[in-house]
Amino acid sequence: MRPGPTPVSHSPTGPLRNRAFLGLLSYRILTILSYQIVAVTVGWHVYELTRDPFSLGLIGLAEVLPYFCTAPFAGYLVDHLPRRKLGLVACLGLALTASILVAVALGWIPTGTAAAPRTWPIYMAIALTGVVRAFLGPVYNALFARVLPRDQFARGAGVGSVAFQLGLVLGPAIGGVLIGWAGKDVAYATAMVLALAGALAVGVLRVTEPPMLLQRAPVFASIHEGLRFVFGHQILLGALALDMFAVLLGGAVSLLPAFITEILDHGPEGLGTLRAMPALGAVTVGLWLARRPPTRDAGRLLLLAVAGFGLCIIGFGLSTHFWLSAAFLLGSGLCDGVSVVLRSTILQLATPDEMRGRVSSINGLFIGSSNELGAFYAGSMARLLGLVPAVVFGGFMTLVVVGATARLAPRLRRLDLRELH
């Protein structure tokens, strides 16, 4: 038995009048808020203990390794098991991670002394986050195609990007304020509550699940089928690779605790503000694109957006003024928001319904893991070159990636989204 077709939306007037879609957005924004509050708090916590930029890079490595190991199997499970239940379990995993970090912050799990900090309990909690996060994106993307009709995918992707980026705006800001005013333990506890709220949102979501397959392909054969699909689709592969290398090489956000302390001379509230700036820019452009989704010259727009992202990262690296740095990060978010909406639309339009979990997991390996790998890369380059040269070099390399993609993926460069309908 094959999975049934994507159901028709309950409301023909648009995504925001679809209750199931709104419930799915609630699940997404609550999990992003929880994850981002933990991310900003862990960055401050670890740098407070070690005063070493390289230790910030290790946070990314601690998350990405288990993520890489889990993501392919997460995609397989999302394609073969009830998606709402998997989303519920993933949210409970986020809550468990936050509860462990609460115990660390309260001293119930010792972290050593300033001379000999013991950060391994924090890194182990982040490793659990990497396992859990492998399920969040595939569950969302698979359910997305069950609650919206195909002709609303572009608008829905824009709205989903706004929800995602809104979480990226509010999460760091809330985390920074909570660290400064109430302490790290309260920040972690807030993340735990939000994760539990996300579990409730996906648990009560009303959506039809595809029929279960009577005969399931072997796990590794099924994963290979998803890989073959992505690597055989020049437009999809080009969009994923472009975004992956841009985030990997231009990842300045992971170094913000060091920048805010050593160059910009601000505290945790300033850290929360800077972490929120890229997402604020992405929310702004996402709202625009949700009303006017791009179709013509989409490939060219994608390349220009990623090039603009690289230029903004270079500007941020060279800035020594707090609000100028914030402006460059805002600009990077505007450019990244265009990239996210276009990539999400390409992903939804190009993927068959029965492969959404696997393709979404591969997308996560390209995109989601690049944030953590970028954090490790940035921390390593900062130790090797220094903070400012590392960020500027990453921005220049992003421009190189744009040029290479434009040359090697001509179908992406000439893309009109109407070709994928």
Side-chain angles (χ1 to χ4, degrees):
M1 180 181 292
R2 303 291 291 175
T6 301
V8 177
S9 170
H10 295 293
S11 173
T13 55
L16 291 179
R17 293 182 180 273
N18 185 324
R19 290 186 179 180
F21 183 65
L22 292 177
L24 185 61
L25 288 182
S26 299
Y27 155 76
R28 189 176 211 198
I29 195 170
L30 286 167
T31 54
I32 292 298
L33 281 172
S34 175
Y35 175 80
Q36 288 297 316
I37 289 174
V38 167
V40 73
T41 309
V42 161
W44 184 266
H45 195 171
V46 169
Y47 195 73
E48 188 177 57
L49 289 171
T50 65
R51 296 292 172 177
D52 183 2
F54 184 67
S55 65
L56 300 175
L58 291 178
I59 296 174
L61 189 63
E63 182 173 350
V64 77
L65 290 178
Y67 181 91
F68 260 124
C69 295
T70 307
F73 302 99
Y76 174 85
L77 292 174
V78 169
D79 281 338
H80 292 86
L81 295 177
R83 294 156 178 180
R84 289 189 306 113
K85 291 181 180 179
L86 288 174
L88 177 64
V89 171
C91 290
L92 294 177
L94 280 183
L96 176 61
T97 298
S99 66
I100 294 172
L101 291 169
V102 168
V104 174
L106 290 173
W108 299 343
I109 300 176
T111 55
T113 64
R118 297 176 64 216
T119 54
W120 66 264
I122 300 175
Y123 291 135
M124 289 191 67
I126 294 304
L128 176 59
T129 300
V131 173
V132 169
R133 193 171 63 84
F135 290 89
L136 296 176
V139 167
Y140 171 81
N141 285 317
L143 292 176
F144 178 98
R146 305 299 301 178
V147 300
L148 287 179
R150 190 176 180 85
D151 61 1
Q152 291 187 11
F153 279 3
R155 292 187 65 189
V159 175
S161 174
V162 170
F164 178 80
Q165 300 295 343
L166 187 61
L168 298 186
V169 170
L170 295 177
I174 294 171
V177 170
L178 289 174
I179 296 168
W181 288 3
K184 297 183 291 293
D185 54 333
V186 174
Y188 289 136
T190 302
M192 180 179 65
V193 172
L194 290 170
L196 293 174
L200 178 63
V202 74
V204 301
L205 185 65
R206 292 187 177 183
V207 59
T208 59
E209 298 270 11
M212 301 300 293
L213 295 175
L214 296 181
Q215 291 184 340
R216 299 178 183 177
V219 175
F220 290 101
S222 182
I223 293 171
H224 181 261
E225 182 184 10
L227 288 169
R228 187 171 62 243
F229 174 80
V230 171
F231 281 87
H233 198 296
Q234 185 186 112
I235 293 173
L236 181 57
L237 178 63
L240 295 182
L242 178 66
D243 210 333
M244 178 188 74
F245 284 109
V247 174
L248 175 66
L249 298 170
V253 173
S254 64
L255 296 176
L256 286 181
F259 264 90
I260 203 76
T261 302
E262 299 181 16
I263 295 177
L264 302 176
D265 194 26
H266 276 66
E269 295 84 356
L271 173 62
T273 299
L274 288 188
R275 284 198 64 123
M277 284 297 106
L280 179 60
V283 166
T284 302
V285 76
L287 289 170
W288 173 264
L289 294 178
R291 294 178 60 86
R292 293 174 174 81
T295 53
R296 299 181 60 184
D297 297 322
R300 190 173 302 171
L301 179 60
L302 177 60
L303 291 166
L304 290 174
V306 178
F309 174 83
L311 291 173
C312 289
I313 292 300
I314 293 171
F316 169 79
L318 296 175
S319 171
T320 57
H321 299 282
F322 179 82
W323 289 111
L324 180 60
S325 298
F328 277 120
L329 290 177
L330 179 69
S332 74
L334 289 169
C335 296
D336 188 50
V338 175
S339 174
V340 167
V341 170
L342 288 172
R343 175 174 48 80
S344 299
T345 304
I346 292 169
L347 180 72
Q348 293 292 350
L349 291 175
T351 306
D353 190 57
E354 66 272 14
M355 296 180 66
R356 292 189 183 278
R358 283 163 288 171
V359 173
S360 180
S361 289
I362 296 167
N363 171 65
L365 289 174
F366 272 87
I367 308 304
S369 61
S370 61
N371 287 287
E372 286 69 41
L373 285 175
F376 179 69
Y377 166 83
S380 301
M381 294 299 289
R383 171 172 282 189
L384 181 65
L385 303 176
L387 278 176
V388 172
V391 171
V392 172
F393 177 76
F396 275 115
M397 291 305 298
T398 300
L399 299 179
V400 172
V401 168
V402 172
T405 304
R407 181 176 180 83
L408 297 175
R411 289 186 61 195
L412 176 63
R413 187 178 68 244
R414 298 190 295 265
L415 174 65
D416 184 325
L417 285 179
R418 292 171 295 185
E419 299 173 2
L420 297 178
H421 282 278

PDB file of all heavy atoms in Angstrom, residues 146-166:
ATOM      1  N   ARG A 146       0.944  17.461   4.900  1.00  0.00           N
ATOM      2  CA  ARG A 146      -0.352  16.851   5.191  1.00  0.00           C
ATOM      3  C   ARG A 146      -1.413  17.877   5.541  1.00  0.00           C
ATOM      4  O   ARG A 146      -2.607  17.555   5.502  1.00  0.00           O
ATOM      5  CB  ARG A 146      -0.213  15.861   6.357  1.00  0.00           C
ATOM      6  CG  ARG A 146       0.822  14.775   6.180  1.00  0.00           C
ATOM      7  CD  ARG A 146       0.553  13.872   5.007  1.00  0.00           C
ATOM      8  NE  ARG A 146      -0.729  13.180   5.091  1.00  0.00           N
ATOM      9  CZ  ARG A 146      -1.197  12.362   4.142  1.00  0.00           C
ATOM     10  NH1 ARG A 146      -0.504  12.166   3.044  1.00  0.00           N
ATOM     11  NH2 ARG A 146      -2.364  11.767   4.299  1.00  0.00           N
ATOM     12  N   VAL A 147      -1.020  19.091   5.918  1.00  0.00           N
ATOM     13  CA  VAL A 147      -2.006  20.086   6.349  1.00  0.00           C
ATOM     14  C   VAL A 147      -2.239  21.176   5.316  1.00  0.00           C
ATOM     15  O   VAL A 147      -3.165  21.974   5.476  1.00  0.00           O
ATOM     16  CB  VAL A 147      -1.592  20.735   7.699  1.00  0.00           C
ATOM     17  CG1 VAL A 147      -1.473  19.680   8.784  1.00  0.00           C
ATOM     18  CG2 VAL A 147      -0.293  21.508   7.573  1.00  0.00           C
ATOM     19  N   LEU A 148      -1.414  21.237   4.263  1.00  0.00           N
ATOM     20  CA  LEU A 148      -1.576  22.261   3.229  1.00  0.00           C
ATOM     21  C   LEU A 148      -1.672  21.623   1.853  1.00  0.00           C
ATOM     22  O   LEU A 148      -0.996  20.631   1.582  1.00  0.00           O
ATOM     23  CB  LEU A 148      -0.388  23.235   3.238  1.00  0.00           C
ATOM     24  CG  LEU A 148      -0.291  24.237   4.376  1.00  0.00           C
ATOM     25  CD1 LEU A 148       0.959  25.081   4.209  1.00  0.00           C
ATOM     26  CD2 LEU A 148      -1.524  25.116   4.449  1.00  0.00           C
ATOM     27  N   PRO A 149      -2.501  22.204   0.960  1.00  0.00           N
ATOM     28  CA  PRO A 149      -2.496  21.753  -0.427  1.00  0.00           C
ATOM     29  C   PRO A 149      -1.245  22.257  -1.143  1.00  0.00           C
ATOM     30  O   PRO A 149      -0.609  23.222  -0.709  1.00  0.00           O
ATOM     31  CB  PRO A 149      -3.757  22.390  -1.014  1.00  0.00           C
ATOM     32  CG  PRO A 149      -3.979  23.610  -0.182  1.00  0.00           C
ATOM     33  CD  PRO A 149      -3.494  23.251   1.214  1.00  0.00           C
ATOM     34  N   ARG A 150      -0.907  21.611  -2.239  1.00  0.00           N
ATOM     35  CA  ARG A 150       0.335  21.903  -2.947  1.00  0.00           C
ATOM     36  C   ARG A 150       0.431  23.356  -3.407  1.00  0.00           C
ATOM     37  O   ARG A 150       1.504  23.959  -3.361  1.00  0.00           O
ATOM     38  CB  ARG A 150       0.466  20.952  -4.135  1.00  0.00           C
ATOM     39  CG  ARG A 150       1.817  20.983  -4.817  1.00  0.00           C
ATOM     40  CD  ARG A 150       1.873  19.940  -5.921  1.00  0.00           C
ATOM     41  NE  ARG A 150       3.163  19.949  -6.590  1.00  0.00           N
ATOM     42  CZ  ARG A 150       4.229  19.299  -6.164  1.00  0.00           C
ATOM     43  NH1 ARG A 150       4.155  18.577  -5.058  1.00  0.00           N
ATOM     44  NH2 ARG A 150       5.366  19.350  -6.821  1.00  0.00           N
ATOM     45  N   ASP A 151      -0.697  23.949  -3.811  1.00  0.00           N
ATOM     46  CA  ASP A 151      -0.631  25.316  -4.334  1.00  0.00           C
ATOM     47  C   ASP A 151      -0.411  26.351  -3.248  1.00  0.00           C
ATOM     48  O   ASP A 151      -0.230  27.543  -3.543  1.00  0.00           O
ATOM     49  CB  ASP A 151      -1.885  25.654  -5.144  1.00  0.00           C
ATOM     50  CG  ASP A 151      -3.168  25.577  -4.315  1.00  0.00           C
ATOM     51  OD1 ASP A 151      -3.090  25.279  -3.103  1.00  0.00           O
ATOM     52  OD2 ASP A 151      -4.253  25.805  -4.881  1.00  0.00           O
ATOM     53  N   GLN A 152      -0.405  25.926  -1.969  1.00  0.00           N
ATOM     54  CA  GLN A 152      -0.115  26.849  -0.867  1.00  0.00           C
ATOM     55  C   GLN A 152       1.253  26.589  -0.246  1.00  0.00           C
ATOM     56  O   GLN A 152       1.599  27.190   0.771  1.00  0.00           O
ATOM     57  CB  GLN A 152      -1.196  26.743   0.211  1.00  0.00           C
ATOM     58  CG  GLN A 152      -2.552  27.288  -0.229  1.00  0.00           C
ATOM     59  CD  GLN A 152      -3.551  27.327   0.901  1.00  0.00           C
ATOM     60  OE1 GLN A 152      -3.208  27.138   2.068  1.00  0.00           O
ATOM     61  NE2 GLN A 152      -4.805  27.580   0.581  1.00  0.00           N
ATOM     62  N   PHE A 153       2.051  25.713  -0.866  1.00  0.00           N
ATOM     63  CA  PHE A 153       3.351  25.394  -0.284  1.00  0.00           C
ATOM     64  C   PHE A 153       4.257  26.623  -0.200  1.00  0.00           C
ATOM     65  O   PHE A 153       4.976  26.806   0.784  1.00  0.00           O
ATOM     66  CB  PHE A 153       4.042  24.302  -1.106  1.00  0.00           C
ATOM     67  CG  PHE A 153       3.564  22.904  -0.800  1.00  0.00           C
ATOM     68  CD1 PHE A 153       2.538  22.683   0.105  1.00  0.00           C
ATOM     69  CD2 PHE A 153       4.136  21.813  -1.419  1.00  0.00           C
ATOM     70  CE1 PHE A 153       2.091  21.404   0.388  1.00  0.00           C
ATOM     71  CE2 PHE A 153       3.709  20.521  -1.153  1.00  0.00           C
ATOM     72  CZ  PHE A 153       2.681  20.321  -0.245  1.00  0.00           C
ATOM     73  N   ALA A 154       4.286  27.458  -1.250  1.00  0.00           N
ATOM     74  CA  ALA A 154       5.184  28.612  -1.246  1.00  0.00           C
ATOM     75  C   ALA A 154       4.801  29.598  -0.142  1.00  0.00           C
ATOM     76  O   ALA A 154       5.659  30.063   0.611  1.00  0.00           O
ATOM     77  CB  ALA A 154       5.171  29.301  -2.606  1.00  0.00           C
ATOM     78  N   ARG A 155       3.489  29.902  -0.029  1.00  0.00           N
ATOM     79  CA  ARG A 155       3.061  30.808   1.038  1.00  0.00           C
ATOM     80  C   ARG A 155       3.260  30.173   2.406  1.00  0.00           C
ATOM     81  O   ARG A 155       3.670  30.834   3.355  1.00  0.00           O
ATOM     82  CB  ARG A 155       1.592  31.180   0.845  1.00  0.00           C
ATOM     83  CG  ARG A 155       1.323  32.055  -0.380  1.00  0.00           C
ATOM     84  CD  ARG A 155      -0.119  32.510  -0.411  1.00  0.00           C
ATOM     85  NE  ARG A 155      -0.418  33.374   0.718  1.00  0.00           N
ATOM     86  CZ  ARG A 155      -1.655  33.773   1.039  1.00  0.00           C
ATOM     87  NH1 ARG A 155      -2.689  33.363   0.320  1.00  0.00           N
ATOM     88  NH2 ARG A 155      -1.841  34.573   2.075  1.00  0.00           N
ATOM     89  N   GLY A 156       2.968  28.887   2.501  1.00  0.00           N
ATOM     90  CA  GLY A 156       3.172  28.196   3.769  1.00  0.00           C
ATOM     91  C   GLY A 156       4.628  28.164   4.187  1.00  0.00           C
ATOM     92  O   GLY A 156       4.950  28.295   5.366  1.00  0.00           O
ATOM     93  N   ALA A 157       5.530  28.008   3.196  1.00  0.00           N
ATOM     94  CA  ALA A 157       6.961  28.030   3.508  1.00  0.00           C
ATOM     95  C   ALA A 157       7.374  29.393   4.031  1.00  0.00           C
ATOM     96  O   ALA A 157       8.205  29.502   4.944  1.00  0.00           O
ATOM     97  CB  ALA A 157       7.772  27.663   2.270  1.00  0.00           C
ATOM     98  N   GLY A 158       6.799  30.462   3.456  1.00  0.00           N
ATOM     99  CA  GLY A 158       7.101  31.802   3.950  1.00  0.00           C
ATOM    100  C   GLY A 158       6.615  32.002   5.375  1.00  0.00           C
ATOM    101  O   GLY A 158       7.342  32.534   6.225  1.00  0.00           O
ATOM    102  N   VAL A 159       5.386  31.564   5.654  1.00  0.00           N
ATOM    103  CA  VAL A 159       4.851  31.683   7.012  1.00  0.00           C
ATOM    104  C   VAL A 159       5.664  30.818   7.980  1.00  0.00           C
ATOM    105  O   VAL A 159       5.977  31.235   9.100  1.00  0.00           O
ATOM    106  CB  VAL A 159       3.371  31.269   7.036  1.00  0.00           C
ATOM    107  CG1 VAL A 159       2.841  31.264   8.467  1.00  0.00           C
ATOM    108  CG2 VAL A 159       2.542  32.226   6.184  1.00  0.00           C
ATOM    109  N   GLY A 160       6.014  29.601   7.536  1.00  0.00           N
ATOM    110  CA  GLY A 160       6.822  28.730   8.386  1.00  0.00           C
ATOM    111  C   GLY A 160       8.185  29.321   8.670  1.00  0.00           C
ATOM    112  O   GLY A 160       8.708  29.192   9.782  1.00  0.00           O
ATOM    113  N   SER A 161       8.767  29.979   7.671  1.00  0.00           N
ATOM    114  CA  SER A 161      10.049  30.641   7.892  1.00  0.00           C
ATOM    115  C   SER A 161       9.924  31.760   8.915  1.00  0.00           C
ATOM    116  O   SER A 161      10.796  31.942   9.763  1.00  0.00           O
ATOM    117  CB  SER A 161      10.588  31.196   6.565  1.00  0.00           C
ATOM    118  OG  SER A 161      11.763  31.950   6.773  1.00  0.00           O
ATOM    119  N   VAL A 162       8.817  32.517   8.837  1.00  0.00           N
ATOM    120  CA  VAL A 162       8.595  33.581   9.820  1.00  0.00           C
ATOM    121  C   VAL A 162       8.498  32.993  11.228  1.00  0.00           C
ATOM    122  O   VAL A 162       9.104  33.511  12.171  1.00  0.00           O
ATOM    123  CB  VAL A 162       7.319  34.375   9.476  1.00  0.00           C
ATOM    124  CG1 VAL A 162       6.941  35.310  10.624  1.00  0.00           C
ATOM    125  CG2 VAL A 162       7.517  35.168   8.190  1.00  0.00           C
ATOM    126  N   ALA A 163       7.741  31.900  11.368  1.00  0.00           N
ATOM    127  CA  ALA A 163       7.610  31.267  12.684  1.00  0.00           C
ATOM    128  C   ALA A 163       8.964  30.779  13.191  1.00  0.00           C
ATOM    129  O   ALA A 163       9.316  30.975  14.359  1.00  0.00           O
ATOM    130  CB  ALA A 163       6.626  30.103  12.607  1.00  0.00           C
ATOM    131  N   PHE A 164       9.727  30.150  12.300  1.00  0.00           N
ATOM    132  CA  PHE A 164      11.049  29.657  12.661  1.00  0.00           C
ATOM    133  C   PHE A 164      11.956  30.806  13.090  1.00  0.00           C
ATOM    134  O   PHE A 164      12.605  30.753  14.147  1.00  0.00           O
ATOM    135  CB  PHE A 164      11.641  28.915  11.467  1.00  0.00           C
ATOM    136  CG  PHE A 164      13.025  28.380  11.684  1.00  0.00           C
ATOM    137  CD1 PHE A 164      13.217  27.210  12.384  1.00  0.00           C
ATOM    138  CD2 PHE A 164      14.137  29.037  11.187  1.00  0.00           C
ATOM    139  CE1 PHE A 164      14.498  26.695  12.583  1.00  0.00           C
ATOM    140  CE2 PHE A 164      15.409  28.548  11.375  1.00  0.00           C
ATOM    141  CZ  PHE A 164      15.594  27.375  12.083  1.00  0.00           C
ATOM    142  N   GLN A 165      12.001  31.847  12.277  1.00  0.00           N
ATOM    143  CA  GLN A 165      12.878  32.976  12.582  1.00  0.00           C
ATOM    144  C   GLN A 165      12.387  33.766  13.786  1.00  0.00           C
ATOM    145  O   GLN A 165      13.192  34.338  14.520  1.00  0.00           O
ATOM    146  CB  GLN A 165      13.004  33.887  11.358  1.00  0.00           C
ATOM    147  CG  GLN A 165      13.580  33.226  10.125  1.00  0.00           C
ATOM    148  CD  GLN A 165      15.010  32.784  10.311  1.00  0.00           C
ATOM    149  OE1 GLN A 165      15.692  33.219  11.236  1.00  0.00           O
ATOM    150  NE2 GLN A 165      15.474  31.914   9.426  1.00  0.00           N
ATOM    151  N   LEU A 166      11.071  33.792  13.994  1.00  0.00           N
ATOM    152  CA  LEU A 166      10.554  34.454  15.196  1.00  0.00           C
ATOM    153  C   LEU A 166      11.073  33.760  16.446  1.00  0.00           C
ATOM    154  O   LEU A 166      11.430  34.406  17.437  1.00  0.00           O
ATOM    155  CB  LEU A 166       9.023  34.437  15.177  1.00  0.00           C
ATOM    156  CG  LEU A 166       8.320  35.227  16.283  1.00  0.00           C
ATOM    157  CD1 LEU A 166       8.692  36.707  16.204  1.00  0.00           C
ATOM    158  CD2 LEU A 166       6.804  35.054  16.177  1.00  0.00           C
TER     159      LEU A 166
END
